[in-house]
Structures are given as structure tokens and as C-alpha cells.
Amino acid sequence: MGITDGNKKVMDRQVFATDQVIFREGKPGSTAYVVQEGKVEIYKTMNEGKEVILGTIEAGGLFGELALVDNQPRMASARAKERTVLVAINRQTFDNKMAGSDRFIKAILRILLGNYRTVVRRAALAEAKLKEHGISLDR
């Protein structure tokens, strides 16, 4: 199942079962995803295997895009929280779209995403430390 541009397939639909891992933190990333149906949980694994939930992506949401923009390993893991249908955007499609973008805008985007990675990494560490002391950030 896929989305085409003329005769060329540019995006695939992928289906994941409840609790199935979509990608793992630290692995190379060559695909971003749009949630068509279902929910995806984004999480980091901290010391001693403890997980910190960074967020939940619902229908219409995008995730996994950082690895496409800055070619860095995945900063977190993703898993389906229920049966989930995703539209996968591969690196070639992304690069083709970015090729027409202004170099200044691409540079700013890379800087912003680098800053974002740093903030998320520090926030996950802080949350893990708080949990060690019995403090939860959940509402």
C-alpha cells in the first residue's frame, strides 16, 4: 500500500500492532512518519532501563523527522500504543523536497533541531532524576 507521484511510489503505509516498536533510540533514521490512525508513544530509555515518556503522537502528527534533517541517530524510541497505521516518508522523498529550499533556511532548521535535541536530552535526564526521588511530572 503506498502513495504515488505519477508512476513513482513516494510514501508507504505501514501497520503496527499494539506495543510494536517502530524504531529504537540510537539507531540510524531514514524515515519520518505521519500517524494516519492510532497512537504512537515516544520514549527514552535511561539508566537501569527506566523509560521516560516524552510524548504521544496521535492521528495527523509527525515524528521521526529529526533524523532526516540532521542525519543523526534517533534521539528516542517509538512504539505503537494501539493498532497504528503510519505513512512513511523516506529520505529520498525528503531530500528531494529539501533540495529546492533556500540554504539559509536549511541551516537555520539544522541549528534549531540541534538545540531541540539538546533540550529534550536534558529534560529526559531531569525527569529521570526526579522520578528517582519519587517526583512525577505527570498531571
Side-chain angles (χ1 to χ4, degrees):
M1 203 169 17
I3 298 172
T4 60
D5 181 10
N7 292 330
K8 186 172 60 172
K9 189 171 174 184
V10 294
M11 290 184 257
D12 285 319
R13 282 193 177 87
Q14 299 174 3
V15 179
F16 291 85
T18 301
D19 292 327
Q20 185 176 358
V21 173
I22 299 160
F23 57 73
R24 293 197 186 279
E25 178 179 354
K27 299 293 183 185
S30 60
T31 307
Y33 300 92
V34 175
V35 179
Q36 189 171 36
E37 299 172 26
K39 292 181 184 178
V40 174
E41 185 172 73
I42 308 298
Y43 64 98
K44 286 187 74 61
T45 303
M46 307 306 287
N47 299 335
E48 302 167 13
K50 294 180 184 172
E51 291 181 358
V52 174
I53 307 304
L54 300 177
T56 302
I57 313 297
E58 298 188 10
L62 173 72
F63 68 98
E65 72 285 357
L66 294 179
L68 287 183
V69 175
D70 64 11
N71 292 313
Q72 296 293 313
R74 300 285 190 190
M75 66 176 282
S77 299
R79 71 175 155 236
K81 288 306 296 170
E82 59 190 47
R83 181 188 175 277
T84 300
V85 179
L86 303 176
V87 175
I89 304 166
N90 65 40
R91 180 171 302 284
Q92 181 179 2
T93 299
F94 180 81
D95 287 346
N96 288 343
K97 298 293 184 186
M98 285 296 288
S101 298
D102 181 277
R103 287 177 28 202
F104 176 77
I105 298 301
K106 288 191 275 192
I108 294 293
L109 182 59
R110 285 189 180 95
I111 291 167
L112 288 172
L113 291 179
N115 292 343
Y116 178 75
R117 280 182 180 274
T118 299
V119 167
V120 169
R121 190 175 307 114
R122 293 184 74 186
L125 287 169
E127 184 170 352
K129 288 284 186 193
L130 288 170
K131 282 185 177 180
E132 286 177 12
H133 297 286
I135 302 168
S136 175
L137 294 179
D138 297 331
R139 295 176 201 179

